[in-house]
Amino acid sequence: KKYAGESSKMHTALHEVVGHASGRLNKGVGTPKETLKNYASTLEEGRADLVALYYIMDPKMQELGLLDTVEAAKAEYDSYIRNGLMLQLRRLNPGEVIEEDHMRNRQLVAGWAYEKGKAQNVIEKKVVDGKTYFVINDYTKLRDLFGQLLREIQRIKSEGDYEAGKTLVEKYGVQVDPELHAEVLRRSERLNIPPYAGFIQPEL
């Protein structure tokens, strides 16, 4: 509650300004739309998110005065994993798969990190009183996992590796755990809050 607003804004800034503005294609490789085709957007959003997630934990953030404490970065990790693995599922109806690129990328990143960190219990799945929680036990190791996935997605983009990109997205970003989905819908229903919100920018 203390750091969520600050860290969310910083994640967005890093995602848009540093994430989308970084990364190069290898010489002679076509544009991602040509090489990665229908997976290009999901992978690019994932790459930008990973840039933000990796660098938000860097001590340089406090040194530059962009974040007051590393606890703000940890809050963003908590929020990202919670949203990627659970919260965003309330936007779907039962039986649906994920089709929107931003949602696919968030589940891909969170799901990949959860699976790859299982051996060291980096992210722990806990069920308490019938409710599922994902708890980050090691933020440093999770940052390292984000770095590994960033390296791989950047390689895919730079080399135009369609098959590797397709495998990542289809394995981690599309399918939904029906039991977890049903639980998310059940738990969020009582809040009576729409899954999407829009606003009109005021003109003064």
Side-chain angles (χ1 to χ4, degrees):
K1 287 180 180 178
K2 187 173 182 180
Y3 298 112
E6 175 187 359
S7 62
S8 176
K9 286 178 183 177
M10 187 52 61
H11 174 97
T12 300
L14 289 168
H15 171 109
E16 301 294 351
V17 180
V18 183
H20 284 313
S22 63
R24 295 181 179 179
L25 302 179
N26 288 359
K27 195 172 182 180
V29 174
T31 66
K33 280 189 177 181
E34 295 169 321
T35 59
L36 304 179
K37 301 174 185 176
N38 53 311
Y39 298 106
S41 183
T42 296
L43 291 165
E44 173 58 17
E45 292 301 331
R47 197 185 64 80
D49 262 354
L50 287 160
V51 167
L53 290 165
Y54 187 78
Y55 284 105
I56 201 169
M57 276 282 285
D58 197 292
K60 194 76 175 175
M61 297 296 290
Q62 285 96 64
E63 188 183 319
L64 293 171
L66 296 170
L67 288 179
D68 294 331
T69 168
V70 72
E71 295 304 312
K74 291 179 179 179
E76 181 55 26
Y77 275 28
D78 290 340
S79 173
Y80 194 91
I81 295 300
R82 180 173 61 247
N83 189 36
L85 293 179
M86 291 189 71
L87 188 60
Q88 69 173 5
L89 295 179
R90 72 195 192 100
R91 296 175 174 180
L92 303 176
N93 292 317
E96 289 183 338
V97 297
I98 299 176
E99 296 185 25
E100 200 275 328
D101 290 318
H102 293 80
M103 290 180 66
R104 280 185 169 189
N105 117 64
R106 287 190 287 263
Q107 180 170 285
L108 187 165
V109 171
W112 186 94
Y114 171 65
E115 182 181 291
K116 299 301 179 183
K118 267 186 176 180
Q120 294 182 297
N121 204 29
V122 176
I123 302 171
E124 185 177 356
K125 182 179 179 180
K126 293 184 178 181
V127 179
V128 181
D129 296 329
K131 293 180 180 180
T132 303
Y133 301 88
F134 289 92
V135 181
I136 300 171
N137 291 321
D138 194 319
Y139 292 89
T140 303
K141 286 179 180 174
L142 180 54
R143 184 190 185 216
D144 183 65
L145 288 169
F146 286 149
Q148 291 177 40
L149 184 56
L150 172 57
R151 179 174 59 196
E152 174 59 9
I153 291 182
Q154 182 60 60
R155 183 199 67 77
I156 288 170
K157 182 180 179 181
S158 296
E159 297 177 1
D161 190 341
Y162 175 81
E163 288 302 326
K166 175 184 177 181
T167 299
L168 260 185
V169 176
E170 293 292 344
K171 183 175 181 181
Y172 295 101
V174 178
Q175 299 302 319
V176 174
D177 179 336
E179 289 186 17
L180 190 59
H181 186 200
E183 180 189 334
V184 170
L185 293 176
R186 201 165 54 244
R187 288 169 64 181
S188 61
E189 183 180 21
R190 66 184 66 184
L191 298 174
N192 198 30
I193 299 173
Y196 286 101
F199 67 91
I200 299 172
Q201 184 72 23
E203 193 172 310
L204 303 179

